[in-house]
Structure formats: C-alpha cells, structure tokens
Amino acid sequence: MKVPMLDLSEQYASLKTEVLEALDGVMSSSVFILGSNVKKLEADIAEYSHVAHGIGCGNGSDAIHIALQAAGIGAGDEVITTPFTFFATGGAIVRAGATPVYCDIDPVSFNIDPAEIEKHITDKTKAIIPVHLYGQMADMVSIRKIADKHNLIVIEDAAQAIGAKQGDFTVGELGDAATYSFFPTKNLGAYGDGGMVVTNNDDIAEKSRVIRVHGSKPKYYHAVLGYNSRLDELQAAVLNVKFPHLDTWSEQRRAHADFYTQLLNEKVGEYIKTPVKVEGFHHVFHQYTILTERRDELQAYLKENGVDTMIYYPLPLHIQPVFESLGYKLGDFPNAEKAANEALSLPMFPELKEEQQRFVVEKIAAFFSGK
C-alpha cells in the first residue's frame, strides 16, 4: 500500500460535473476579472467568518501584505509574530516595509504564546500577526486583550484554519482583519492560487480593494501604491462549488484525527506526542502533526515503506538566512526550535481511508519496535 500526503483526485471526481459547469459558465460569460463568482465568494466567506467584508486577492501571501498595508503598517513599524510558520508571514511584514519581531510558541498548540507577547512590545510595535497553525486558532481572546491594552492592530494569518473557532468566535471576528489562502492543498483549496482578506473594518476593507488593483480608484487614477493581486474568476467559480462542502470535509478531518490519535496512543504513545485539541477550541486539522525526537529517521523509514509525510516547518523564521540582519540566534525561541526539530505531519485529507490510517500507524509502530 502507498499512502499519499494528500490526494485530491477523489474529491474532484465527486465534484467534476459541477466544477466543469461552473468553469463553462465563466468562459461563456467572458467575464474573467472580478466578476459575479468573486463577488459571491467574497460575500459567502465574509458571512462564514462573521464579518462584513471579504476581499479576494491573488494568493494567501498577498492577502497578508494587503491587510498590513491597508491597516497602515509600514516603514519603521514592528510587527510581532511567530517564528514557527510558513515564510509568507514574515515575508509579508518585510514587503510592507515593517520589521518582524518574533515571539516563542506555546508547545501544546504550536501557536504564538500570548504570555510571551508583551515582552516584545516596544514603542515601535504596531501590530500582532498570530498564525492559526495546522488548523487550530491561536488564543485570540488573550491576544485581543493585549492588543487593546497597547492599541495594536491584529491581523490573523488563517491560511490553514478556515472554519476554526475559539469558543463561539470564528476566524476574523477578534482580529482587525484575517487572511485566507486557497492554495490547492488547503481545507478550501482552488485549482491554482487564491487568497482573501476578511474584516469588519470598513477602512481596511476599502483600502484592501484599492490596493489589489494597483492602488487605482477610480480606474487609472492612483493615490496609493498598490499592485495586481486579484482573485481569479475561474478559481472563484471552483471555490463556490467546493465551499458548501467545507464543514463536512472539516468534520471528516476531525474524525480522521481522532482515529489517528486513538491508534497512535495505543501503539506508540511512549515514543511520540499526538496533537492536542485545546479545550474550548474547534480544530479543523489542516495538518495532523506528531512530535518525535527521531523525526528524520521516522520520515525516511515511512518513505521507504510507502507513506508520504511532510515537515512543517524545518527551520524557524528567526534563523532563516534572509532574516540574519534581525540579529536572532539559535536558542532564542526554544519551543519553536524544538517543534521544528520534531514535528512530522502525517497524511491528512477528507477522503483518507481507515485502512490507510491503520497502515500508517502500523509502519510507525514497526519503526519504533525495530522490526
């Protein structure tokens, strides 16, 4: 048996007729830029996020940059964020002209630790970007309180966490803005790139809409420096077909996660740590990520035995070569560094079969037993 990290073929087969009809509708209409499909998706995702505005853009990385620029973050400003995330988070801060200031993570949730944030606030701090890693929200209630105390903007990087919740609060409700990615591997994935800013802030929403079209309003008149980052109409059409299934897919992911956890704790609980669903949080399991001190050996063994895995992420941002000028060093954020050395994500997608999960766990058990 071979178990892929992700397999989108079954999902496409189940939606093929609807997807092709939606794409044909776009082609027949000849409206390819910011048409009715984009508008519908923006409205639906905004409502789903319990906010007033959705602004579709080219990808999740641009979404963060656009939100920062729209919120007035720029040169001379500092933005506090986690070092244990995809490069886009730190990269967007620098692209906006600001300086990323890293803060260690909570070792249980893998998300930025609110108890560490205030240590890094200076008179230059203007914003916080919590990243809802692997599908579980950061502690936004605590982060919002800190932000309000210090008059800071909060932009949620929710690339991996559409549909996640903390209590009754969903992504976007407690931040000044939140950003989504619709990269094909995401819980709600397009058939190419795509992203969105969601916000309750009318000013951020209006500025985001202008920035994504070269800073133009009205057309051909430019008061601000924007760039070309529009959500493609064809991708929006695909996402409109897929969106009604999102919650069902998330529940399937959660069920797969529970099954993994049960099997792993029974068979290899002494050797690994399974992910924790923090009490009061609704985890949507974009990834199912275990911790083990023998991570690299285990990954190699699983690959030899037909099981795909991924490491998200092997080198924290504070020690990435591109950020060397910030002056961070190994040892500055021990929880993030430990996670980077031990985290291994197992196959996870809604259509994952029970026999595939059993096979994955059997191979993990065989590795630790030396068989």
Side-chain angles (χ1 to χ4, degrees), residues 89 121 145 209 231 284 361 369:
T89 313
I121 294 175
K145 289 178 182 177
R209 292 188 183 98
L231 178 61
V284 294
V361 175
S369 69

Side-chain angles (χ1 to χ4, degrees), residues 192-335:
D193 274 319
M196 190 174 290
V197 177
V198 295
T199 181
N200 256 327
N201 185 302
D202 294 343
D203 185 57
I204 289 177
E206 177 59 20
K207 288 178 178 176
S208 295
R209 292 188 183 98
V210 172
I211 292 167
R212 73 174 174 181
V213 287
H214 298 285
S216 173
K217 186 181 180 183
K219 194 172 184 179
Y220 304 127
Y221 291 82
H222 304 264
V224 300
L225 185 64
Y227 51 98
N228 182 15
S229 183
R230 299 169 296 209
L231 178 61
D232 186 83
E233 185 75 3
L234 289 166
Q235 299 300 338
V238 171
L239 291 165
N240 283 329
V241 171
K242 298 178 79 172
F243 177 62
H245 302 277
L246 175 61
D247 285 344
T248 297
W249 292 336
S250 293
E251 285 306 313
Q252 289 171 326
R253 288 173 177 271
R254 286 167 54 82
H256 297 333
D258 289 343
F259 191 56
Y260 264 142
T261 297
Q262 176 191 334
L263 293 178
L264 288 166
N265 285 339
E266 287 174 359
K267 294 181 179 295
V268 290
E270 62 188 298
Y271 300 110
I272 69 166
K273 291 183 179 178
T274 54
V276 175
K277 292 191 291 186
V278 179
E279 186 176 354
F281 288 71
H282 180 76
H283 199 322
V284 294
F285 282 99
H286 173 60
Q287 301 295 342
Y288 184 91
T289 302
I290 64 172
L291 296 177
T292 172
E293 294 179 356
R294 299 180 64 189
R295 190 267 310 281
D296 294 346
E297 297 172 71
L298 175 59
Q299 184 181 43
Y301 179 88
L302 291 175
K303 183 177 181 180
E304 291 172 1
N305 286 274
V307 177
D308 289 344
T309 59
M310 289 290 290
I311 296 172
Y312 303 107
Y313 296 95
L315 190 67
L317 297 192
H318 69 288
I319 49 177
Q320 290 282 352
V322 70
F323 294 131
E324 185 177 0
S325 63
L326 297 177
Y328 293 106
K329 64 184 184 302
L330 194 64
D332 283 344
F333 304 114
N335 291 335

Side-chain angles (χ1 to χ4, degrees), residues 114-130:
E116 296 289 315
I117 290 175
E118 287 191 285
K119 299 176 184 178
H120 301 281
I121 294 175
T122 72
D123 57 1
K124 295 182 179 180
T125 306
K126 293 297 187 294
I128 305 169
I129 300 184

Side-chain angles (χ1 to χ4, degrees), residues 180-200:
Y180 293 126
S181 168
F182 302 126
F183 190 75
T185 62
K186 296 298 191 285
N187 289 27
L188 181 62
Y191 292 161
D193 274 319
M196 190 174 290
V197 177
V198 295
T199 181
N200 256 327

